[in-house]
Amino acid sequence: MNVIEVTEYGDADALEVVERELPEPGPEQVRIEIESAGINFADIMQRRGKYLGGPEPPYVPGMEAAGRIDATGERVNLDEGDRVVAMVDTGAYGEYVLANPQSLFPIPEGMSFDEAAGFPVQFLTAHGCLFGWGGLEEGERVLIQAASGGVGTAAVQLASAAGAEVFGTASSQEKLDRAAELGCDHPINYVEDDFVEEIDELTDGEGVDLVLDGVGGDVFHDSLDALKPFGRIVTYGAASGDTASVDTGRLLFENKTVIGYHLGRAMRHDPGRVLEAVPELTQKLTGGDLEVIVGESFPLEDAAEAHQYIEDRKSSGKVVLHP
């Protein structure tokens, strides 16, 4: 089978097409013939060698794979041909991948493979950051950084449906328009405007109750400025390439809370807490109340181009690969 391999840490050209043996499932595994693989910014951070605890080259990247079960282990009570989407540690950038049944979700009727590949990571991350960890309540104000990205588009929809007042940042008018269509009340162009000043003006100096930040660096510190006293900020990534240190004295005197969220580690430590959101999310997605926003799709062999497309901030919604 053909896969994409990270040959060494580095730029997008570190991604190469290689041929590997078709893997055989163990007694408690399934093999999935992949129709669509989701790309996450974590894949890019891993490729750069900037992801804490990430894989070492050579490895096959990719955390989300949607397709059909092709083979099952002897202890697995699932049928070949079932349409599923899987969360895996690595390996989704290929034609086949092995997965554990516990990490599989059946793809609802009417949902495409591309949409399914964009569901697990972005919606479970968005839901966890907003509610399970962030404690968002109706009537509160929430700022969503990168509101037109994969997690951002999910978070905007979820926050709006929960009755929050939604503020969102993006880098272009097209992305801002997309965020507004999904329920963002106050789209802010962070390239042209200072989002802290904008929020200060829009809230009469009060600030927001909650921030979702997957950017890190200076954006994290500016997000703290946008928080009201007793506000919370959930940090779930560092797309800027820079993590941020926190002045605990500032948190103390400003009565602000910083919360960390990592989907993979949360799944290892307390999967029930993460997965309890799945029935609600699935129902809303199949009922049309939520939508997986799929931006661009690339052939598997163009994985390097897809990574660069995201790094150049051209993407809006989920970017997927097709074997």
Side-chain angles (χ1 to χ4, degrees):
M1 67 172 183
N2 288 327
V3 301
I4 298 297
E5 189 174 87
V6 175
T7 56
E8 60 183 1
Y9 293 137
D11 296 332
D13 57 11
L15 298 171
E16 294 184 5
V17 180
V18 301
E19 187 175 306
R20 288 192 176 187
E21 291 292 327
L22 188 68
E24 292 297 328
E28 298 181 357
Q29 289 182 311
V30 301
R31 186 174 67 204
I32 299 170
E33 183 177 6
I34 300 172
E35 296 287 345
S36 183
I39 299 179
N40 294 286
F41 205 86
D43 301 342
I44 293 171
M45 296 297 289
Q46 289 180 353
R47 190 206 72 219
R48 294 174 178 172
K50 302 292 186 180
Y51 195 88
L52 183 64
E56 296 184 1
Y59 70 92
V60 179
M63 303 176 179
E64 293 170 299
R68 294 180 176 86
I69 294 178
D70 171 69
T72 64
E74 58 189 28
R75 299 177 191 167
V76 177
N77 187 25
L78 294 171
D79 295 326
E80 294 182 14
D82 284 353
R83 288 170 19 107
V84 295
V85 57
M87 287 196 300
V88 294
D89 290 333
T90 57
Y93 289 16
E95 295 178 318
Y96 295 85
V97 69
L98 298 181
N100 297 318
Q102 295 84 354
S103 70
L104 299 181
F105 306 95
I107 299 176
E109 186 176 350
M111 180 179 284
S112 71
F113 286 115
D114 283 359
E115 291 170 329
F119 160 64
V121 170
Q122 68 183 43
F123 272 92
L124 289 176
T125 297
H127 193 281
C129 289
L130 286 170
F131 305 111
W133 276 249
L136 181 67
E137 296 182 358
E138 183 178 2
E140 287 193 314
R141 293 168 171 152
V142 57
L143 167 62
I144 299 168
Q145 301 288 8
S148 70
V151 173
T153 53
V156 167
Q157 294 178 76
L158 289 168
S160 178
E165 184 178 357
V166 183
F167 301 72
T169 63
S171 60
S172 70
Q173 190 58 50
E174 180 182 0
K175 293 181 179 182
L176 293 170
D177 291 343
R178 170 60 62 87
E181 291 172 1
L182 296 174
C184 182
D185 301 293
H186 307 288
I188 301 170
N189 188 322
Y190 68 81
V191 175
E192 299 178 357
D193 302 307
D194 184 316
F195 72 82
V196 178
E197 293 180 357
E198 289 290 308
I199 289 173
D200 187 66
E201 181 176 344
L202 290 166
T203 64
D204 295 325
E206 291 186 5
V208 298
D209 300 280
L210 176 67
V211 178
L212 268 60
D213 173 45
V215 181
D218 291 339
V219 172
F220 173 86
H221 293 293
D222 291 341
S223 295
L224 277 177
D225 291 336
L227 271 184
K228 66 192 302 184
F230 304 104
R232 301 92 64 197
I233 179 170
V234 180
T235 172
Y236 67 91
S240 65
D242 296 320
T243 55
S245 57
V246 182
D247 181 351
T248 55
R250 179 181 181 184
L251 300 180
L252 169 68
F253 285 100
E254 296 181 8
N255 288 290
K256 296 178 179 179
T257 302
V258 178
I259 305 162
Y261 180 85
H262 186 280
L263 176 61
R265 298 295 174 90
M267 283 285 291
R268 291 180 196 174
H269 295 141
D270 192 352
R273 185 178 176 186
V274 176
L275 298 178
E276 65 182 6
V278 171
E280 173 196 348
L281 292 173
T282 302
Q283 181 180 12
K284 289 183 176 180
L285 283 164
T286 55
D289 298 318
L290 296 174
E291 179 184 1
V292 179
I293 306 300
V294 179
E296 296 292 326
S297 61
F298 292 81
L300 181 67
E301 60 268 23
D302 291 341
E305 182 182 343
H307 271 218
Q308 195 60 54
Y309 182 81
I310 295 173
E311 292 182 84
D312 291 341
R313 300 181 181 180
K314 295 179 179 179
S315 61
S316 179
K318 190 73 172 185
V319 178
V320 297
L321 293 175
H322 290 156

